């Protein structure tokens, strides 16, 4: 772990309050200590990422290490958000995991086409959901390496 | 005597020419001809008697037997009797003399023999004609000699040696020669008559037929003849039509008409569809049957013209109605397809939206049970049962939603066809199912090398459902066995999955493929009741058919084809 561990933020883009709460519970349940920031639509997600509007003054160190992105979102869809992130040099290599209820081939294909790193269908069963969140945290926050340029400390505001 | 008889014969030949002239002039009036010819031959006989060979006063020899014989033989009894009466009268009243009885008897015997042979001739063949003529010639003249026995004072003793050589040679020869002329003339008259008859028949057909007929010169296209039906149809007189060219009637350009006529000539009979212009300017659709016909050595085209305007109009209307019908059907189909799509997308979003609350229920129920377990680690049996039932139903609802989503998705998905090794795919499916249900053991036999053209992903869905069913419904038998094979039936490859499970009553076979219809209780054989509907969708999407045969407690077999 590097020295800025407490700022290993996860951005959860989720409009359904139940899903939001369950995801947070699952993280807590699996002892994933990272701070999780929740935004509720696509536009808010982009504002947060690029420090605009309500997030203009956010601490640069809270720039997330991982984005969990739902596809069905108000205002801007998950695909719109993904494309914006991939078009920006700052976020080009940021790990984005699609976490959604859809399992349509078309959605999976488009997700990868637009540069998602992973596609996970939210399991209905409690235990499987718990396991999925655990595995996700383990993989993307512990095992996965990202280039330095995407590390929060190096992103200039 | 020889000279005089030759003179007589030339008179008879002259009479013969007259005879035919009369026959022709008054053709159709048989009695009149017979009478006139009777008079003609009678006068000829008189003429012959006027230039006789005179043996002595009252005893004369001439060609009357030839005249009367031929008149009767060829002209018939009526002509013969007329001629005989005239000749006999002349012999009795004008010539008179001692030989009158023998003279009249000669006339009589010539008439009788002529009449007899006339009769025979009617029933004989043309090849026997000459024989008959010779026979009658000889008989008549033998009897003529016999008639001399009736000369007074036994004059025959003197007469016969003089006349017999001539009467038995020159007379019959003259008779035969003249007869030959008659026969020839009759023959040519018969041919002429037949020709006239056939032409008459043809003309009658042409003129009286209600069908429009035209005769056309194929070289120039000129109308040669037109029947009254054509006059009535086109509205032109026959004279007008006969001065026209077919291109004045046909709306096609002359070159096209010429090609059509050439084709009609070449193929002997041919039907064409043309548009003909009437005198009124109206243009009608016609069907023309054309073929070549010979007239005095020149080839013409006869054309039978049928007006098919009404038929064409009706056909046009039918085509129009059909087109409209097709449009309506297309419109309805489109509407139906749109409704179907809407329904499917509705089913999709409904099932999709159902999943979110279900997941929330399951999630929070999980955390709730976790909380409870922390407070009170030992749950009551009842509590555990309730927990289990809630979990079971959540799982079931989740499966239902999955199946509904699949079902609606298959309906809207495009097929992506490829060559599929079905045996391989089936093994994969069976292995997956067995590993998902470790408790199930079944002897699964899959025939090797079954290949087909199909959408592999969809086919896998179908096979998964079919194998899953087979496994499910054999779970209660002691030695479950499942076989996947194929056969040829009615030139089509039929695949089948046969199991020895609980089967079903064929009475309910119709319900098998309807969504949510189950033939067995949920408790022993859990399922959503959508699986076979999905299978049927997949199969019918491929253009195939699916059906099942079963015996309760003996097993079931599901057959399917993949179309094309």
């Amino acid at each position: 772990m590097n020295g800025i561990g407490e700022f290993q933020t996860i951005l959860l883009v989720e409009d359904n309050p139940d899903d939001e709460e369950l995801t947070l519970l699952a993280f807590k349940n699996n002892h994933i200590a990272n701070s999780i920031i929740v935004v509720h639509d696509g536009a808010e997600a982009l504002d947060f990422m690029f420090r605009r509007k309500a997030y203009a003054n956010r601490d640069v160190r809270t720039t997330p290490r991982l984005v969990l992105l739902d596809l069905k979102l108000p205002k801007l869809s998950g695909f719109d958000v993904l494309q914006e992130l991939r078009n920006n040099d700052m976020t080009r290599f940021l790990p984005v995991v699609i976490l959604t209820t859809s399992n349509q081939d078309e959605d999976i294909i488009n997700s990868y086409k637009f540069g998602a790193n992973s596609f996970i269908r939210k399991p209905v069963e409690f235990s499987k959901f718990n396991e999925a969140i655990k595995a996700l945290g383990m993989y993307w926050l512990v095992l996965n390496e990202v280039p330095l340029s995407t590390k929060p400390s190096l992103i200039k505001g | 005597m020889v000279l005089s008889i030759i003179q007589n014969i030339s008179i008879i030949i002259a009479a013969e020419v007259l005879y035919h002239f009369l026959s022709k002039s008054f053709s159709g009036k048989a009695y009149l001809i017979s009478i006139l010819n009777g008079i003609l031959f009678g006068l000829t006989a008189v003429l012959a008697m006027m230039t006789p060979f005179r043996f002595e006063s009252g005893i004369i020899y001439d060609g009357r037997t030839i005249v009367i014989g031929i008149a009767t033989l060829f002209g018939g009894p009526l002509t013969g009797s007329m001629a005989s009466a005239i000749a006999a009268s002349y012999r009795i009243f004008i010539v008179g003399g001692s030989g009158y009885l023998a003279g009249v008897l000669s006339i009589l015997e010539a008439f009788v023999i002529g009449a007899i042979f006339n009769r025979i001739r009617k029933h004989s063949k043309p090849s026997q004609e000459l024989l008959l003529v010779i026979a009658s010639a000889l008989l008549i003249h033998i009897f003529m000699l016999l008639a001399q026995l009736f000369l007074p004072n036994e004059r025959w003793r003197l007469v016969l040696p003089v006349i017999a050589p001539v009467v038995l040679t020159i007379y019959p020869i003259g008779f035969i020669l003249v007869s030959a002329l008659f026969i020839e003339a009759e023959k040519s008259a018969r041919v002429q008559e037949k020709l006239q008859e056939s032409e008459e028949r043809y003309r009658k057909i042409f003129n009286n037929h209600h069908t429009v007929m035209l005769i056309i010169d194929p070289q120039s296209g000129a109308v040669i003849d037109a029947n009254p039906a054509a006059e009535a149809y086109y509205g032109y007189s026959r004279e007008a039509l006969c001065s026209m060219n077919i291109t004045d009637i046909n709306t096609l350009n002359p070159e096209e008409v010429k090609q059509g006529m050439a084709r009609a000539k070449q193929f002997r009979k041919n039907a064409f569809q043309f548009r003909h212009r009437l005198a009124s300017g109206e243009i009608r659709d016609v069907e023309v049957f054309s073929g070549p016909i010979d007239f005095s050595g020149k080839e013409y085209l006869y054309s039978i013209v049928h007006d098919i305007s009404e038929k064409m109009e009706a056909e046009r209307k039918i085509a129009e109605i059909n087109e409209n019908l097709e449009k309506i059907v297309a419109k309805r189909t489109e509407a139906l397809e749109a409704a179907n799509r809407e329904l499917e997308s509705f089913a999709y979003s409904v099932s999709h939206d159902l999943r979110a609350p279900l997941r929330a229920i399951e999630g929070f129920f999980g955390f709730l049970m976790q909380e409870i377990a922390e407070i009170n680690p030992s749950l009551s049996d009842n509590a555990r049962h309730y927990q289990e039932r809630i979990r079971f139903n959540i799982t079931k609802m989740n499966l239902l939603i999955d199946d509904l989503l699949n079902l609606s998705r298959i309906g809207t998905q495009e097929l992506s066809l490829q060559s599929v090794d079905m045996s391989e795919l089936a093994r994969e499916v069976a292995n997956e199912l067995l590993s998902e249900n470790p408790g199930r053991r079944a002897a699964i036999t899959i025939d090797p090398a079954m290949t087909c053209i199909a959408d592999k992903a969809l086919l896998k869905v179908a096979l998964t459902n079919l194998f899953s069913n087979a496994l499910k419904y054999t779970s209660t038998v002691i030695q479950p066995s499942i076989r996947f094979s194929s056969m040829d039936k009615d030139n089509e490859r039929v695949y089948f999955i046969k199991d020895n499970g609980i089967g079903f009553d064929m009475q309910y076979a119709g319900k098998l493929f309807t969504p949510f219809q189950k033939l067995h209780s949920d408790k022993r054989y859990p399922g959503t009741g959508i699986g076979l509907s999905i299978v049927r969708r997949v199969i019918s999407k491929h253009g195939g058919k699916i059906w099942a045969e079963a015996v309760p407690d003996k097993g079931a077999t599901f057959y399917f084809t993949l179309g094309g």
Side-chain angles (χ1 to χ4, degrees), chain B residues 513-541:
Chain B
F513 302 100
T514 314
F516 305 113
Q517 291 283 348
K518 295 190 66 183
L519 301 186
H520 297 290
S521 80
D522 227 27
K523 201 162 184 175
R524 289 180 71 183
Y525 304 99
T528 57
I530 300 176
L532 284 176
S533 311
I534 291 174
V535 175
R536 187 174 62 174
R537 274 238 175 149
V538 170
I539 298 301
S540 57
K541 225 170 154 118

Side-chain angles (χ1 to χ4, degrees), chain B residues 84-116:
Chain B
S84 304
I86 291 167
S89 308
Y90 179 82
R91 180 65 188 86
I92 297 165
F93 301 113
I94 312 291
V95 180
S98 59
Y100 84 95
L101 186 59
V104 170
L105 279 174
S106 309
I107 292 169
L108 223 77
E109 61 85 15
F111 167 71
V112 170
I113 292 167
I116 290 166

Side-chain angles (χ1 to χ4, degrees), chain A residues 3-142:
Chain A
I4 45 165
E6 72 268 29
F7 278 110
Q8 292 228 353
T9 311
I10 297 168
L11 180 68
L12 175 64
V13 192
E14 176 62 78
D15 72 312
N16 182 321
D18 286 329
D19 279 343
E20 175 192 337
E21 196 180 340
L22 285 167
T23 309
L24 293 178
L25 276 170
F27 273 115
K28 203 176 123 195
N29 217 28
N30 288 298
H31 313 292
I32 293 168
N34 302 57
S35 65
I36 298 170
I37 292 162
V38 183
V39 290
H40 301 99
D41 63 59
E44 198 186 351
L46 289 176
D47 286 348
F48 181 87
M49 287 305 303
F50 301 123
R51 300 173 70 210
R52 296 186 304 220
K53 295 185 185 166
Y55 298 97
N57 296 318
R58 78 162 165 86
D59 189 334
V60 74
R61 286 173 299 178
T62 60
T63 296
R65 223 190 124 169
L66 174 69
V67 175
L68 300 178
L69 184 62
D70 197 356
L71 287 179
K72 286 205 174 132
L73 292 169
K75 295 184 188 170
L76 290 175
S77 78
F79 289 130
D80 297 329
V81 172
L82 185 57
Q83 278 172 290
E84 282 289 312
L85 291 178
R86 290 302 177 235
N87 285 336
N88 193 301
D89 281 343
M90 277 195 305
T91 53
R92 174 162 301 152
F93 300 120
L94 179 67
V96 175
V97 172
I98 304 295
L99 189 64
T100 182
T101 52
S102 165
N103 66 340
Q104 272 190 287
D105 246 11
E106 206 188 335
D107 286 345
I108 298 173
I109 289 164
N110 280 331
S111 297
Y112 285 119
K113 195 153 72 183
F114 296 140
N117 297 81
S118 186
F119 187 102
I120 292 169
R121 185 185 165 209
K122 293 175 191 167
V124 171
E125 294 91 333
F126 175 74
S127 55
K128 283 188 186 165
F129 183 64
N130 249 335
E131 262 167 43
I133 292 295
K134 187 179 165 187
L136 201 149
M138 190 62 174
Y139 183 81
W140 289 108
L141 298 171
V142 180

Side-chain angles (χ1 to χ4, degrees), chain B residues 363-425:
Chain B
F364 287 114
F365 179 67
F367 286 115
L368 174 66
M369 291 317 290
Q370 226 173 43
E371 290 277 303
I372 289 169
E374 272 169 30
I375 301 160
N376 181 7
S378 58
L379 277 179
S380 71
D381 284 351
N382 272 349
R384 252 198 299 277
H385 174 71
Y386 301 148
Q387 185 188 2
E388 195 187 297
R389 293 319 301 160
I390 290 170
R391 280 260 148 80
F392 177 85
N393 279 289
I394 288 169
T395 307
K396 190 178 172 191
M397 184 147 175
N398 194 35
L399 279 176
L400 260 171
I401 290 167
D402 273 348
D403 280 353
L404 274 176
L405 280 172
N406 278 333
L407 187 64
S408 60
R409 200 177 298 156
I410 288 160
T412 50
Q413 202 168 308
E414 288 288 322
L415 282 183
S416 111
L417 295 177
Q418 53 173 305
S419 177
V420 179
D421 183 341
M422 230 200 297
S423 305
E424 178 67 38
L425 190 66

Side-chain angles (χ1 to χ4, degrees), chain B residues 167-462:
Chain B
V167 168
L168 289 178
T169 54
I170 306 288
Y171 274 64
I173 289 168
F175 189 99
I176 291 162
L177 280 177
V178 175
S179 291
L181 284 176
F182 264 86
I183 289 166
E184 264 318 298
E186 270 188 357
K187 224 186 253 168
S188 79
R190 262 201 305 276
V191 170
Q192 191 78 18
E193 204 176 301
K194 267 198 185 134
L195 211 67
Q196 266 176 356
E197 247 173 45
S198 83
E199 253 181 39
E200 188 61 28
R201 247 201 315 272
Y202 155 71
R203 189 135 289 284
K204 261 186 191 158
I205 290 170
F206 189 72
N207 281 336
N208 297 341
H209 212 285
H210 295 297
T211 311
V212 177
M213 291 195 237
L214 298 173
I215 306 289
I216 292 156
D217 181 345
Q219 254 91 53
S220 64
V223 178
I224 302 300
D225 205 351
N227 70 350
E231 289 181 283
Y233 179 71
Y234 290 109
Y236 293 111
S237 69
R238 182 186 215 129
E239 287 68 36
L241 278 168
C242 290
S243 69
M244 289 165 85
N245 194 286
I246 190 65
T247 52
D248 298 329
I249 294 170
N250 201 311
T251 56
L252 291 179
N253 69 48
E255 199 43 50
E256 288 168 312
V257 175
K258 211 166 202 169
Q259 282 170 10
M261 285 194 301
R263 222 152 8 120
K265 212 181 131 181
Q266 190 185 347
F267 294 111
R268 306 242 115 221
K269 193 168 183 180
N270 222 330
F272 303 91
Q273 261 190 30
F274 286 132
R275 286 166 75 74
H276 277 186
R277 191 181 290 107
L278 309 184
S280 63
E282 194 187 341
I283 289 171
R284 307 283 291 176
D285 288 302
V286 292
E287 195 167 30
V288 178
F289 299 92
S290 244
I293 186 170
D294 275 337
F295 272 143
S296 40
K298 192 166 164 13
E299 203 166 70
Y300 293 96
L301 274 184
Y302 75 90
S303 287
I304 294 169
V305 181
H306 267 297
D307 189 300
I308 52 164
S309 300
E310 266 101 51
K311 198 173 116 191
M312 295 284 281
E313 177 65 14
E315 273 172 12
R316 206 182 51 71
K317 269 189 186 150
I318 288 168
E320 201 175 281
I321 289 166
N322 275 343
E323 201 179 311
N324 278 339
L325 213 65
E326 265 164 33
K327 270 186 201 155
I328 290 168
V329 168
K331 221 186 245 173
R332 298 243 165 104
T333 310
E334 203 179 302
L336 210 66
E337 276 170 357
N340 228 11
R341 272 197 301 276
E342 205 171 293
L343 204 67
E344 262 159 8
S345 83
F346 175 74
Y348 184 79
S349 53
V350 163
S351 26
H352 194 262
D353 289 351
L354 280 175
R355 215 203 286 275
L358 185 67
R359 205 174 44 248
I361 291 166
E362 162 76 4
F364 287 114
F365 179 67
F367 286 115
L368 174 66
M369 291 317 290
Q370 226 173 43
E371 290 277 303
I372 289 169
E374 272 169 30
I375 301 160
N376 181 7
S378 58
L379 277 179
S380 71
D381 284 351
N382 272 349
R384 252 198 299 277
H385 174 71
Y386 301 148
Q387 185 188 2
E388 195 187 297
R389 293 319 301 160
I390 290 170
R391 280 260 148 80
F392 177 85
N393 279 289
I394 288 169
T395 307
K396 190 178 172 191
M397 184 147 175
N398 194 35
L399 279 176
L400 260 171
I401 290 167
D402 273 348
D403 280 353
L404 274 176
L405 280 172
N406 278 333
L407 187 64
S408 60
R409 200 177 298 156
I410 288 160
T412 50
Q413 202 168 308
E414 288 288 322
L415 282 183
S416 111
L417 295 177
Q418 53 173 305
S419 177
V420 179
D421 183 341
M422 230 200 297
S423 305
E424 178 67 38
L425 190 66
R427 264 191 293 277
E428 191 182 313
V429 163
N431 288 337
E432 272 175 24
L433 286 169
L434 286 175
S435 68
E436 273 172 34
N437 304 280
R440 298 250 165 93
R441 271 190 312 274
I444 298 178
T445 324
I446 294 166
D447 278 10
M450 288 188 283
T451 53
C452 66
I453 302 290
D455 184 309
K456 194 174 178 185
L458 286 183
L459 190 59
K460 188 175 179 184
V461 171

